[in-house]
Amino acid sequence: MSESYTAPLADSLFILERVIRWERLFDLPAYRHADGDLAGAVLTEGAKFCEQVVGPINAVGDEQGSVLLEGRVKTPDGFREAYREFTAAGWPGLDMPQEYGGQQLPLTVQVAFAEMLNGACLSFAMLPLMLRAGSRLLIDHADDELKQRVVPKLVSGEWGATICITEAQAGSDVGRIRTLARPQADGSYRLTGSKIFITYGDQDFTEQIIHLVLARTPDAPPGTRGISLFLVPGILFDSGQANGVRVERLEKKMGLKASPTCVLNLEGATGYRIGEQNRGLNAMFTMVNLMRLEVSVQGPAIGAAATATALNYARERLQGGPPDAAPVSIIEHADVRRMLLIMHCRNMAMRALVFEAASNLDIAHHGEDEDERRRALQLAEFLLPVCKACGSEAGFEVASLAVQVFGGHGYITESGVEQYVRDVRVAAIYEGANGIQALDLVSRKLLRDQGARFRILAGEIESTLAETGALGSIGEIHQATQTGLAVLERATQYVLQLAGEGRQRAIEFSASEYCRLTGLVAGAWMWLRIAHAGADANDDRDNLLNHGNCARFYAEYLIPEMHTLAHRINISFTEMEA
Ligand SMILES: Cc1cc2nc3c(=O)[nH]c(=O)nc-3n(C[C@H](O)[C@H](O)[C@H](O)COP(=O)(O)OP(=O)(O)OC[C@H]3O[C@@H](n4cnc5c(N)ncnc54)[C@H](O)[C@@H]3O)c2cc1C
């Protein structure tokens, strides 16, 4: 049985209050009914819920997994009850509009809650992710009747939801979707095809499941321009009979075992088109930012859970020291301290960056000034592929280091830390594999506007550098951020130059390392802001992981990776350009 979950509430609230300064979000008209005190109280309750209700089902979920019994999914012991408590407390609707029954708190608050939910049990958190994505999609694109009928049920969690994009021949290459939707005389459609990897394609929490399916109509043009979006209810709205949606099998997988990953067959299922014909992918794009944000937080979520577990273990495990004296706690060993520092520094940097992206999305959607909204959206759009790719990579690295801190015991299931490694691995793959995120960053977010979005980020970092000054306890991280920005600016110029020379293959070769470099430098920016907000802020972590130490560690130990990354971006590897 793994250790219990401890939510990183204090760290999250510190970042929200003093780094992101969430108070300004409650001045936006959409959020004036709330304030920082209320949101802080909500997150404190959320932390308790995650620790007491969700954390305890994580290990049992991994052990039992979801199974298929007589064509229906059965989730592991305790999941149904946890879901019931989750919906009864109103957690699915935290940031959803009040008009659909939500609490309409900022997305930033939702993301902080999502971090705790994912850290407590990643498998459980996958269903709320689908609910929120589905609600957002319908709010933005469905007609009023369908919206009123379906969205309140998703916001309350009474109904489940899925997002059905992937097919065997259409993974990253979404344009190859083949599922067919034939129009019917009554305006509905009949859908036929097979979707794979569908998260919570079936479950035993809710009677109704709303499947949001990408498919093509009979004469649709090939590729992404011929894809439409359909709502397919698991139970037909009018008759209450089962629709033609069948779970063919559940995938056996490396981790996330309690989250049922389904092959879903649509066998003449009745569906309703959402939005314009052939514009389904555009509709999906409106929730890409949201989904990326929510997946971005999974890395720091698991990373923080793994770090808390490893820290406790390092204090208790006795090994080493002089042979004639009692053994010392392994936290006394420099190498163990080094690992714990890497873990905490990476987590905090990524958590703060994800919160920064979320707060910009809040301003982008609800800001009062149009220029401010546009600027916030552009900054968020630049940061999101970085958050998704670097957050998931950091989560995996940190979880793996937690196993290392545990030694052989970490490799044993009972420790609970090996589950973190298996569970978080997929975050680098789904919701757009990290390689695709890097290509998106470089081609759509950097080159398409000749670096304008990048200039917004650089401008923000420059403002922080000017505000904070290089003196005192933040001297090292200030210097590291300044140097990091200069290195990133040179790398950016180089990628822009490659584009000018038409060297597309060289750009693609450099994209992942450019994305990592951006994440590393943005992490220094976050640590500068954290240290400036409270370099001496202390906690119960033996001083090792206090903000001042960590900012210095990031500056001295982690940021030098930028030289390797910059070098890799600059090399001309001719084989790649052939
Ligand atoms: C646990 C789990 C849950 C999932 N849940 C859902 C869900 O609920 N709904 C849903 O629709 N899908 C879901 N997926 C599917 C997921 O989104 C896809 O796995 C993902 O989009 C990648 O597609 P693929 O697996 O076919 O990989 P591929 O597209 O085959 O990619 C394989 C590799 O090739 C690289 N690659 C591919 N194309 C390019 C290119 N043009 N340029 C450079 N590199 C490229 C990728 O980066 C990757 O490294 C889930 C997957 C998993 C594992």
Side-chain angles (χ1 to χ4, degrees):
M1 185 57 71
S2 71
E3 291 211 15
S4 57
Y5 173 68
T6 307
L9 181 67
D11 284 338
S12 291
L13 286 176
F14 180 87
I15 293 172
L16 292 165
E17 285 164 7
R18 298 180 57 185
V19 178
I20 304 299
R21 298 185 191 141
W22 67 357
E23 278 302 335
R24 72 204 156 102
L25 300 178
F26 301 107
D27 288 336
L28 303 175
Y31 303 134
R32 275 190 198 140
H33 60 282
D35 59 20
D37 288 345
L38 174 87
V42 167
L43 288 179
T44 305
E45 274 310 301
K48 267 192 231 155
F49 177 81
C50 293
E51 288 175 351
Q52 293 170 7
V53 179
V54 185
I57 60 173
N58 192 38
V60 75
D62 186 53
E63 201 180 310
Q64 293 181 0
S66 280
V67 290
L68 196 61
L69 289 179
E70 295 173 2
R72 294 303 306 265
V73 167
K74 184 181 175 303
T75 56
D77 291 349
F79 273 61
R80 277 170 64 110
E81 293 73 13
Y83 186 77
R84 209 173 299 135
E85 289 194 47
F86 179 74
T87 53
W91 293 115
L94 212 56
D95 67 320
M96 287 292 146
Q98 286 175 329
E99 81 173 285
Y100 297 106
Q103 291 142 58
Q104 204 168 308
L105 289 171
L107 184 58
T108 310
V109 177
Q110 153 62 29
V111 166
F113 173 68
E115 190 200 343
M116 299 191 283
L117 194 68
N118 278 287
C121 181
L122 199 59
S123 282
F124 180 83
M126 293 299 282
L127 182 57
L129 171 60
M130 299 302 147
L131 284 177
R132 301 185 58 265
S135 304
R136 194 46 74 188
L137 201 53
L138 293 173
I139 290 170
D140 288 349
H141 300 285
D143 62 38
D144 277 346
E145 194 194 327
L146 214 47
K147 250 195 287 215
Q148 294 306 335
R149 179 175 221 166
V150 178
V151 176
K153 303 276 193 192
L154 298 183
V155 168
S156 68
E158 190 182 332
W159 290 358
T162 71
I163 304 291
C164 302
I165 303 173
T166 310
E167 298 179 9
Q169 77 295 343
S172 308
D173 197 356
V174 178
R176 294 189 193 274
I177 280 174
R178 286 193 203 130
T179 295
L180 194 63
R182 287 186 190 284
Q184 304 296 300
D186 65 357
S188 68
Y189 289 77
R190 286 294 178 91
L191 280 86
T192 309
S194 184
K195 295 286 178 181
I196 65 167
F197 296 159
I198 304 307
T199 297
Y200 280 95
D202 187 33
Q203 30 82 2
D204 51 6
F205 305 161
T206 64
E207 281 200 7
Q208 176 66 288
I209 301 177
I210 299 297
H211 304 284
L212 292 156
V213 182
L214 285 184
R216 48 178 82 249
T217 48
D219 298 320
T224 51
R225 291 192 181 152
I227 295 175
S228 306
L229 173 66
F230 299 88
L231 183 157
V232 177
I235 306 284
L236 290 166
F237 290 139
D238 299 333
S239 68
Q241 301 289 309
N243 200 357
V245 183
R246 189 172 60 82
V247 182
E248 186 181 298
R249 65 164 197 276
L250 292 194
E251 301 293 2
K252 289 207 169 109
K253 51 194 193 298
M254 175 179 179
L256 226 54
K257 290 182 187 279
S259 167
T261 304
C262 304
V263 174
L264 215 57
N265 287 349
L266 299 157
E267 300 171 341
T270 298
Y272 307 95
R273 205 183 70 225
I274 307 287
E276 283 176 52
Q277 188 159 329
N278 297 335
R279 304 274 297 162
L281 209 59
N282 294 60
M284 281 281 182
F285 269 133
T286 67
M287 55 151 218
V288 159
N289 288 339
L290 182 79
M291 291 285 279
R292 274 192 189 167
L293 186 72
E294 299 243 346
V295 174
S296 297
V297 90
Q298 292 183 340
I302 293 295
T307 303
T309 311
L311 189 59
N312 283 341
Y313 186 79
R315 283 182 183 139
E316 285 164 11
R317 171 71 175 161
L318 304 174
Q319 281 295 283
D324 51 353
V328 298
S329 304
I330 60 169
I331 198 170
E332 299 303 325
H333 301 306
D335 189 56
V336 173
R337 293 168 91 78
R338 180 189 64 84
M339 289 192 276
L340 291 167
L341 278 162
I342 295 173
M343 293 160 78
H344 186 63
C345 286
R346 290 242 195 258
N347 276 335
M348 284 286 277
M350 279 303 132
R351 173 188 296 125
L353 196 62
V354 173
F355 291 0
E356 171 72 18
S359 66
N360 276 287
L361 283 179
D362 275 321
I363 294 167
H365 295 141
H366 299 292
E368 289 182 280
D369 176 77
E370 201 183 322
D371 280 348
E372 189 193 24
R373 279 205 306 272
R374 195 179 48 241
R375 193 183 147 84
L377 183 62
Q378 289 185 335
L379 179 56
E381 285 180 346
F382 193 84
L383 289 179
L384 279 167
V386 178
C387 289
K388 196 289 187 175
C390 299
S392 55
E393 283 183 2
F396 183 67
E397 180 194 354
V398 170
S400 179
L401 279 171
V403 173
Q404 201 66 25
V405 170
F406 269 73
H409 299 275
Y411 200 70
I412 304 298
T413 305
E414 201 184 340
S415 69
V417 285
E418 58 86 40
Q419 183 190 345
Y420 291 136
V421 180
R422 289 184 288 106
D423 280 357
V424 80
R425 181 63 184 86
V426 73
I429 297 168
Y430 56 26
E431 193 36 42
N434 282 1
I436 305 291
Q437 299 289 336
L439 292 176
D440 177 64
L441 173 71
V442 170
S443 56
R444 290 209 189 87
K445 308 297 160 53
L446 178 66
L447 297 179
R448 192 170 281 177
D449 62 10
Q450 282 82 46
R453 285 182 172 82
F454 169 75
R455 286 298 331 152
I456 297 176
L457 172 64
E460 291 289 322
I461 299 177
E462 278 158 8
S463 303
T464 306
L465 286 166
E467 265 170 39
T468 50
L471 298 175
S473 55
I474 61 166
E476 286 102 334
I477 189 67
H478 190 279
Q479 181 61 49
T481 308
Q482 197 159 36
T483 314
L485 180 59
V487 169
L488 181 59
E489 280 182 326
R490 276 199 297 279
T492 304
Q493 282 313 319
Y494 178 71
V495 175
L496 288 165
Q497 182 193 321
L498 288 178
E501 293 164 4
R503 290 167 64 189
Q504 182 59 24
R505 299 271 292 171
I507 294 169
E508 290 172 17
F509 180 64
S510 302
S512 284
E513 302 298 40
Y514 180 79
C515 183
R516 284 192 188 109
L517 177 62
T518 310
L520 185 67
V521 173
W525 176 40
M526 291 299 118
W527 267 111
L528 174 58
R529 288 167 61 180
I530 294 168
H532 181 64
D536 302 323
N538 221 331
D539 47 37
D540 64 349
R541 286 176 290 206
D542 302 325
N543 260 346
L544 173 65
L545 301 183
N546 74 25
H547 295 159
N549 267 354
C550 288
R552 266 194 293 117
F553 184 81
Y554 198 97
E556 301 279 339
Y557 186 94
L558 291 176
I559 203 75
E561 278 175 42
M562 69 185 167
H563 298 300
T564 305
L565 295 171
H567 172 77
R568 288 185 187 146
I569 292 166
N570 272 285
I571 61 169
S572 176
F573 194 57
T574 45
E575 209 168 77
M576 286 299 150
E577 296 198 56

